[in-house]
Structure formats: C-alpha cells, structure tokens
C-alpha cells in the first residue's frame, strides 16, 4: 500500500511563494498520475494541478495557471507544487493524491494548510 506525506504549507502574505511537497512511500506500487487538490471552507474540492508519472503531460487549472507549477522527481517518488504570486483566494487545505490506474484517485494525503493574508 502507499502512503502520501505532504509538507510545505504555511502562512504567507499576498504575493508570496510556497513550495508544497508530497512524498510517496510503501511497498512497490503502481502509478499513473498524481495531483494536487484544494478545498476551502464551504466550498467543493477542486483540482489544482496534475502530472503523469511517466512522460511530460501536466494539467494546471485556469485559476492558478501562470502562477503554480507542478513537477515530479521519479527517483524520490515525490511531487511538488511551486506556488508563486499567491492570492488570498488561494487559501485552502491542499491535498495530494494518487491515481494508480488511470481510473480515479484513491490514495490521499493528510492535507496541508495554506493561508494567504492580504
């Protein structure tokens, strides 16, 4: 089974930057795609960015395009989310997740809080 451990959240002022990390560990496991999601109080969970475990395909939501970048280090089994130009509306709990088969995300991290003050 796989465990996802997130780190890097915190409190920053508008315009600041943070880098989130998500390290996957455990027994040998299948990988297809990893993603970052976020959920603010009273709102539905939304996708932020996704990256395939092999190849170079990525997806970034329009709301963060040009500010956030998703990247991957296969050797470290780690996915990163570089967040620049943070805005108060980016405030949320950020989760990483793993889609092992291409048929849906089933493994989730514990979440890390990102708070952006104005």
């Amino acid at each position: 089974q796989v465990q996802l451990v997130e780190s890097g959240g915190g409190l920053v002022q508008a315009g600041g930057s943070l880098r989130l990390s998500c390290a996957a560990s455990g027994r040998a496991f299948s990988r297809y795609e990893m993603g970052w999601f976020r959920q603010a109080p009273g709102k539905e969970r939304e996708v932020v960015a996704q990256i395939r475990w092999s190849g170079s395909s990525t997806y970034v939501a329009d709301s963060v395009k040009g500010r956030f970048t998703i990247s991957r280090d296969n050797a470290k089994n780690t996915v990163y989310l570089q967040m620049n130009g943070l805005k108060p509306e980016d405030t949320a709990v950020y989760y990483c997740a793993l889609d092992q088969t291409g048929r849906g995300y089933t493994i989730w991290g514990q979440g890390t809080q990102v708070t952006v003050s104005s």
Side-chain angles (χ1 to χ4, degrees), residues 94-110:
Y94 284 70
Y95 300 89
C96 65
L98 170 63
D99 179 347
Q100 294 185 278
T101 65
R103 291 187 285 273
Y105 289 91
T106 58
I107 307 296
W108 294 81
Q110 79 284 356

Side-chain angles (χ1 to χ4, degrees), residues 6 37-41 90-95 110-114:
E6 303 169 357
F37 299 78
R38 67 185 183 185
Q39 187 167 24
D90 296 319
T91 295
V93 177
Y94 284 70
Y95 300 89
Q110 79 284 356
T112 184
Q113 177 71 47
V114 172

Side-chain angles (χ1 to χ4, degrees), residues 35-117:
W36 287 97
F37 299 78
R38 67 185 183 185
Q39 187 167 24
K43 295 184 178 180
E44 296 292 324
R45 183 187 66 202
E46 63 177 340
V47 62
V48 177
Q50 298 168 316
I51 187 168
R52 299 287 169 84
W53 199 249
S54 62
S56 59
S57 295
T58 62
Y59 167 82
V60 181
D62 288 343
S63 60
V64 302
K65 191 172 297 182
R67 299 186 296 119
F68 291 11
T69 303
I70 188 169
S71 61
R72 179 194 70 227
D73 188 331
N74 293 40
K76 296 181 179 180
N77 285 324
T78 300
V79 173
Y80 305 95
L81 184 68
Q82 179 66 48
M83 304 186 294
N84 298 325
L86 284 162
K87 304 175 180 180
E89 51 262 44
D90 296 319
T91 295
V93 177
Y94 284 70
Y95 300 89
C96 65
L98 170 63
D99 179 347
Q100 294 185 278
T101 65
R103 291 187 285 273
Y105 289 91
T106 58
I107 307 296
W108 294 81
Q110 79 284 356
T112 184
Q113 177 71 47
V114 172
T115 302
V116 185
S117 64

